[in-house]
Amino acid sequence: MITCKEYVEIKKEQLKERIKTLSRKPKLCVVQIGNNPASNSYIKGKKKDCEDTGVIFNHLHIENYEEVSQVVLMDMIRTINADPTTDGIIIQLPIPDKYDVEELQTCISPDKDVDGFRKDSYFNPCTPQGVIDWLKYNNYDFEGKTACVIGRSEIVGKPLARLLTDLDVTTVLCHSKTPKVKLTKLMADSDIVFTCINQIEYFKHYDFYSWQDVIDIGLGRGEDGKLHGNIAGDSVDKLKESNYGHLIVSGVGSVGLLTRCSLTENVVYACELHTKGSK
């Protein structure tokens, strides 16, 4: 099976070839508000992906946000959105509490919302789409499977459950209000489990079963400043040993790559839409 890292390298080469057929290079604008260390790291990765594929990377960094109102910031985003050479715009999360992120996102047109956060966006959210695309590339056998998605966020859990259902997977969506005894039963009845909750190292290896494929999607930074998944690091290793022959994916160093790859592909696709018939 092609690993996430190997898959991303293959996709980058494919995207480079697609860009060669366009009348201009795709452009991504990342709007960063403040100086969150995690955001700095994520943006660095996105910039590298753009450089690797030939996408133009524009970084609007508003460091002194205390002096910038919601209205002014919305005007800034609208100006970027009006640029016909800008194909994708993302607002790097998290942002300071003084701003209404949903209102800011309304300033990005659906065909440039490459994060897929708007309900009318042309794109699916990048993390679930990236995971599904990778599984498809590996000819993962979805037919007849039962999946348990743990987490119901608007940008991961819910769209992932929908994408799986569209692939004829019998899918159950669990969340923080699902009683533990019920969650345990639902997980036990599943062929594949996706963890995507907002809590690092919440699960241990003994929460899963030897017949299951397990994909850890949730990511967060611990007190040590490092990225951690929903499943404890040592438990991932134990799962790989006990679930021999099954798919075990750690969020750290895997799913993040798929998310960024999906984002880059969305930008290229947006440019293809915007330049259609211009070459």
Side-chain angles (χ1 to χ4, degrees), residues 224-275:
D224 57 2
K226 297 180 180 180
L227 284 173
H228 297 265
N230 286 161
I231 305 173
D234 58 342
S235 286
V236 173
D237 295 333
K238 291 177 181 178
L239 274 174
K240 290 179 179 179
E241 294 172 3
S242 61
N243 293 46
Y244 183 76
H246 288 273
L247 179 63
I248 309 297
V249 178
S250 169
V252 180
S254 298
V255 174
L257 294 176
L258 298 178
T259 300
R260 284 166 32 199
C261 181
S262 183
L263 171 67
T264 309
E265 184 165 20
N266 284 350
V267 178
V268 175
Y269 178 57
C271 186
E272 290 171 339
L273 292 176
H274 298 150
T275 60

Side-chain angles (χ1 to χ4, degrees), residues 31 33 62 68-77 99 104:
V31 180
I33 311 163
I62 304 169
V68 181
S69 68
Q70 174 88 6
V71 172
V72 170
L73 184 53
M74 290 176 70
D75 285 341
M76 288 181 179
I77 297 173
Y99 298 109
L104 292 176

Side-chain angles (χ1 to χ4, degrees), residues 10-227:
I10 292 170
K11 289 294 293 184
K12 283 183 177 180
E13 290 302 314
Q14 292 176 349
L15 291 174
K16 285 166 69 174
E17 292 303 310
R18 283 169 62 178
I19 290 172
K20 289 179 182 179
T21 69
L22 299 175
S23 59
R24 61 170 175 79
K25 288 189 174 183
K27 183 193 290 185
L28 170 67
C29 180
V30 177
V31 180
Q32 180 183 7
I33 311 163
N35 210 22
N36 182 285
S39 292
N40 292 336
S41 176
Y42 296 145
I43 291 170
K44 182 179 179 181
K46 292 167 184 172
K47 181 180 180 181
K48 181 180 184 303
D49 291 341
C50 288
E51 291 173 344
D52 288 347
T53 55
V55 173
I56 298 171
F57 183 84
N58 181 23
H59 183 197
L60 174 60
H61 192 180
I62 304 169
E63 296 186 75
N64 299 320
Y65 62 88
E66 295 88 354
E67 304 170 7
V68 181
S69 68
Q70 174 88 6
V71 172
V72 170
L73 184 53
M74 290 176 70
D75 285 341
M76 288 181 179
I77 297 173
R78 288 193 187 101
T79 299
I80 298 169
N81 190 73
D83 175 13
T85 68
T86 295
D87 300 294
I89 305 168
I90 67 172
I91 300 171
Q92 180 64 51
L93 302 179
I95 65 173
D97 293 337
K98 66 176 283 188
Y99 298 109
D100 182 339
V101 66
E102 291 187 5
E103 188 177 30
L104 292 176
Q105 286 166 347
T106 64
C107 301
I108 304 172
S109 58
D111 59 308
K112 296 188 178 186
D113 173 35
V114 287
D115 257 338
F117 287 173
R118 289 181 54 134
K119 291 184 178 180
D120 59 351
S121 177
Y122 281 35
F123 310 93
N124 288 318
C126 296
T127 297
Q129 187 64 61
V131 171
I132 293 297
D133 286 346
W134 171 68
L135 289 172
K136 284 182 176 180
Y137 187 86
N138 279 292
N139 296 314
Y140 184 82
D141 185 12
F142 293 98
E143 186 175 355
K145 290 287 199 304
T146 299
C148 180
V149 178
I150 309 171
R152 56 176 172 179
S153 76
E154 298 293 337
I155 60 175
V156 181
K158 288 182 180 179
L160 175 60
R162 175 176 54 79
L163 289 170
L164 289 166
T165 301
D166 289 345
L167 290 167
D168 298 324
V169 177
T170 300
T171 308
V172 59
L173 181 63
C174 301
H175 44 77
S176 60
K177 301 299 182 183
T178 305
K180 183 70 174 180
V181 63
K182 177 71 72 173
L183 176 61
T184 300
K185 184 178 186 307
L186 292 171
M187 289 175 64
D189 291 338
S190 300
D191 301 299
I192 181 169
V193 179
F194 298 85
T195 65
C196 40
I197 61 173
N198 190 28
Q199 190 168 342
I200 62 173
E201 302 200 342
Y202 182 81
F203 297 101
K204 305 296 183 183
H205 63 280
Y206 48 73
D207 290 314
F208 306 95
Y209 299 88
S210 60
W211 61 83
Q212 292 177 326
D213 296 324
V214 180
I215 298 182
D216 181 8
I217 294 178
L219 280 176
R221 290 193 181 271
E223 295 181 357
D224 57 2
K226 297 180 180 180
L227 284 173

